[in-house]
Amino acid sequence: MNINSFIRKKSISSISGDGDAAGSGMRRVLGVKDLTLFGIAAIIGAGIFSTIGRAAFHGGPAVSLLFVFVAIACIFTALCYAQFASMISVSGSAYTYTYVSLGEIFAWGIGWALILEYAVSNMVIAISWSEYFTTLLHGFGITWPDWLAIGYSTAHKAYDTVSSGAADLPAHIVKAAETYRNAPELFGMKVLINLPAGLVVTALTYLVFIGIKESKTINNLLVYLKIGIILGVILAGAFFVKPENWSPFAPNGLQGVLGGVAAVFFAFIGFDSISTTAEESKNPQRDMPRAMLYCLGICTILYVAIALVLTGMVNYKELGVDDPLAYVFQVVNMDFIAGVISATAVIAITSAILVFQIGQPRIWMTMSRDGLLWPKFSKIHPKYKTPSFSTIIAGILVCIPSLFLDMQFVVDLTSVGTFFAFILVCSGILFLDHKGESKKAKFKVPYINGQYIIFILFLVGVSLFISKTDSAEVISRKPLLIVFWTVWLGLAVAAFRYKFSLLPVMGILTNLYLMTELGWSNWVMFLIWLGIGMTIYLGYGYRKSKLASLQQSGQDHK
């Protein structure tokens, strides 16, 4: 083993050619409208119907500004994604982009991290879907057993919280604790299973298995319905807004607002899923960049409007629930609208699960083609033209944990993996710029010379941090900020030497800063996850890599 073998790279020309040949068995049926709707389906899912309530509970009305801040951070990243998408017409998302820019070991790390983004985030969405589904049934007078609609982890944590004697607990915590207390037992253990979450994942895995065309048709219908009902909620809710609910605008200060960063950022990661369908797109190099930027702009406007309406209708302290849109209309005695929202959420969140279940198998398929995963993962079904084995495994990986896990735990774990992937994609653009490869792109990240700007911004940032905050106290609470400032200084020095483009650097810095808000525990879990992944890579992928075999036979693909 030598260091160069870990950073061996595929050339853009070879990876595109290989992808066209390998992907010839998949159906190219997606246009720019379909891709945009896939992105909207992924972005406007559990975020707008569920996690937005938890973010508002911590940050108050100012969480609307957090959506804008996170959207700006995503735009830096989306521009980098768009450039890669215009250069590479194969599936694989950030994994493929990193393989051609930073090398194999980084590509493997991203591929492994994307399991968190896709599989783990779908667990969250499935859990949220279950909440709305049981609410909908209740509206029709059907009582679903509480112990079959909540994961063991969630109920047990709520029981411990109530048992500790904590005061002023939200109603959903008290209810979950009561469910745990009354749940049936088997062999001395409480039986608590989120059955609706598991069932919806199973059903959608089957749909994804039988074809992309069928998935596209269903998704487009669901997204149109989703956008329509959200616009209806904004208009109807505007009549119940009380401006006094917006005061104080940031009741818990900047820290309270940033406390919801994991939930808010989780809502935006869907634009990444567009790039996983490159081999089923009619014109991926033209349409994918457009779709990424279109869906990000549309979703940001909708998120900000919804956040302002929610926090204007009720006090932010009441929004710590899993179904905030339905809840606020129940508060203002508009039960009919609450019922419509619950029905729509069941349908709309379904589309988000669908898109993520489409994305994960296609990343595994691409990694398998490269020899980094077992050959079975790249098998295309002869009739349905989908990665059949990968789709089944993705369904199992999402279904089983969603039956038992706690939603907040997986939200945080999802975000740290996504930040890591986004940082490497932005870094990849800097590498392509340095090598002159960016000239080949049909869409380029606008070049702004950061030679001096990045260092000036560093000095301004440090000055404000020292003068406007108790810097020592902040560092003691969030020691990960040391990593952030160190990386910023390193990028400033490198930018002076190599004339780095400003926007990819801003993408790296904003994503890294948001990572520092997640806390040590999330970083530790992510590092453990990466450690497991690296063990698999060294035990299998490093030896089986097709690029390594080609290089050893004298065919250099660098």
Side-chain angles (χ1 to χ4, degrees):
M1 290 187 183
N2 62 73
I3 188 65
N4 290 330
S5 66
F6 287 107
I7 56 173
R8 51 198 173 210
K9 305 176 185 70
K10 300 191 81 171
S11 68
I12 291 175
S13 57
S14 70
I15 205 169
S16 294
D18 293 345
D20 288 340
S24 60
M26 301 179 78
R27 295 181 177 131
R28 291 193 179 272
V29 298
L30 305 177
V32 66
K33 179 191 73 174
D34 304 312
L35 293 168
T36 302
L37 292 176
F38 268 127
I40 293 173
I43 294 175
I44 300 182
I48 207 160
F49 285 100
S50 180
T51 53
I52 190 173
R54 294 180 182 275
F57 177 75
H58 293 291
V63 77
S64 57
L65 299 181
L66 182 58
F67 278 107
V68 176
F69 173 66
V70 172
I72 292 171
C74 282
I75 286 172
F76 294 138
T77 308
L79 288 170
C80 296
Y81 264 87
Q83 177 171 321
F84 272 117
S86 75
M87 301 171 74
I88 300 170
S89 58
V90 301
S91 299
S93 181
Y95 160 77
T96 303
Y97 303 158
T98 305
Y99 212 153
V100 302
S101 56
L102 302 180
E104 186 172 281
I105 194 167
F106 292 103
W108 169 267
I110 274 206
W112 190 248
L114 287 175
I115 295 175
L116 293 181
E117 177 180 339
Y118 283 88
V120 180
S121 63
N122 241 3
M123 298 172 199
V124 180
I125 303 171
I127 294 168
S128 179
W129 186 93
S130 177
E131 289 275 349
Y132 277 97
F133 176 73
T134 53
T135 300
L136 177 64
L137 290 181
H138 184 71
F140 285 106
I142 302 172
T143 301
W144 185 274
D146 290 339
W147 61 276
L148 286 178
I150 189 169
Y152 180 89
S153 176
T154 304
H156 187 263
K157 182 186 292 184
Y159 179 76
D160 287 344
T161 301
V162 171
S163 299
S164 68
D168 298 324
L169 292 173
H172 70 283
I173 297 290
V174 176
K175 181 182 177 183
E178 188 66 21
T179 300
Y180 180 86
R181 187 179 297 110
N182 297 327
E185 294 187 11
L186 183 64
F187 303 119
M189 178 173 286
K190 297 287 187 179
V191 178
L192 294 143
I193 303 173
N194 200 332
L195 188 59
L199 291 176
V200 72
V201 171
T202 302
L204 291 176
T205 299
Y206 173 74
L207 178 61
V208 172
F209 183 89
I210 64 172
I212 188 68
K213 187 175 182 180
E214 293 78 4
S215 300
K216 176 196 80 169
T217 302
I218 295 296
N219 179 72
N220 289 359
L221 289 172
L222 295 178
V223 172
Y224 285 135
L225 177 59
K226 181 190 304 191
I227 293 176
I229 198 65
I230 288 171
L231 291 175
V233 168
I234 293 169
L235 293 174
F239 290 100
F240 297 96
V241 166
K242 298 177 181 178
E244 58 265 29
N245 284 330
W246 289 333
S247 180
F249 193 66
N252 298 315
L254 182 62
Q255 192 58 43
V257 175
L258 291 176
V261 71
V264 170
F265 193 85
F266 166 80
F268 276 102
I269 64 178
F271 72 84
D272 169 273
S273 63
I274 295 172
S275 60
T276 67
T277 59
E279 291 170 36
E280 289 142 304
S281 305
K282 295 175 183 176
N283 190 340
Q285 292 176 314
R286 181 196 69 189
D287 292 345
M288 285 198 299
R290 294 180 182 180
M292 289 176 185
L293 299 177
Y294 291 164
C295 74
L296 199 56
I298 292 168
C299 294
T300 300
I301 293 170
L302 292 176
Y303 268 125
V304 171
I306 279 287
L308 289 173
V309 168
L310 283 180
T311 54
M313 290 180 68
V314 301
N315 187 283
Y316 72 95
K317 294 179 181 178
E318 298 181 44
L319 291 173
V321 295
D322 289 327
D323 53 350
L325 268 66
Y327 173 76
V328 294
F329 281 99
Q330 289 171 343
V331 170
V332 296
N333 297 316
M334 295 288 287
D335 289 339
F336 172 75
I337 294 181
V340 171
I341 291 171
S342 293
T344 305
V346 169
I347 298 170
I349 297 178
T350 302
S351 67
I353 302 174
L354 175 64
V355 171
F356 280 111
Q357 286 303 103
I358 289 172
Q360 178 71 84
R362 283 150 181 79
I363 295 172
W364 287 342
M365 173 189 73
T366 310
M367 295 175 73
S368 176
R369 285 181 191 159
D370 293 333
L372 303 187
L373 283 178
W374 295 268
K376 193 97 172 163
F377 280 94
S378 58
K379 179 182 178 181
I380 302 296
H381 194 281
K383 178 181 178 181
Y384 300 123
K385 307 301 181 185
T386 58
S388 50
F389 180 77
S390 293
T391 299
I392 293 171
I393 295 301
I396 294 171
L397 188 65
V398 175
C399 178
I400 294 177
S402 68
L403 295 170
F404 306 104
L405 286 185
D406 175 68
M407 188 164 79
Q408 189 58 46
F409 170 79
V410 287
V411 166
D412 292 343
L413 195 56
T414 297
S415 295
V416 71
T418 305
F419 287 134
F420 177 71
F422 284 4
I423 287 170
L424 289 190
V425 169
C426 293
S427 302
I429 292 296
L430 296 178
F431 178 84
L432 293 185
D433 287 347
H434 178 63
K435 293 295 184 180
E437 295 279 352
S438 291
K439 297 175 183 177
K440 302 175 183 177
K442 295 182 179 179
F443 174 91
K444 300 181 183 67
V445 177
Y447 179 78
I448 301 173
N449 190 344
Q451 185 175 24
Y452 301 107
I453 298 175
I454 296 168
F455 186 69
I456 292 171
L457 290 175
F458 173 77
L459 293 178
V460 172
V462 170
S463 299
L464 290 174
F465 180 66
I466 293 174
S467 61
K468 300 295 184 179
T469 68
D470 185 347
S471 54
E473 193 272 334
V474 172
I475 291 292
S476 67
R477 280 191 296 106
K478 297 193 295 183
L480 293 171
L481 281 173
I482 296 173
V483 176
F484 171 73
W485 291 113
T486 302
V487 170
W488 194 344
L489 177 60
L491 286 171
V493 172
F496 182 79
R497 181 175 179 182
Y498 298 112
K499 298 183 179 179
F500 280 168
S501 177
L502 177 64
L503 297 184
V505 171
M506 295 302 295
I508 293 170
L509 292 175
T510 49
N511 284 300
L512 183 60
Y513 177 76
L514 292 171
M515 277 186 85
T516 67
E517 290 293 326
L518 297 178
W520 272 113
S521 60
N522 296 301
W523 280 57
V524 170
M525 286 187 292
F526 179 64
L527 290 174
I528 292 171
W529 179 256
L530 275 185
I532 296 170
M534 286 300 135
T535 302
I536 295 173
Y537 170 72
L538 293 173
Y540 183 87
Y542 178 82
R543 295 182 295 105
K544 298 290 186 178
S545 168
K546 291 184 179 179
L547 183 57
S549 300
L550 288 171
Q551 290 177 345
Q552 288 170 5
S553 64
Q555 300 179 46
D556 190 354
H557 274 233
K558 286 187 178 182

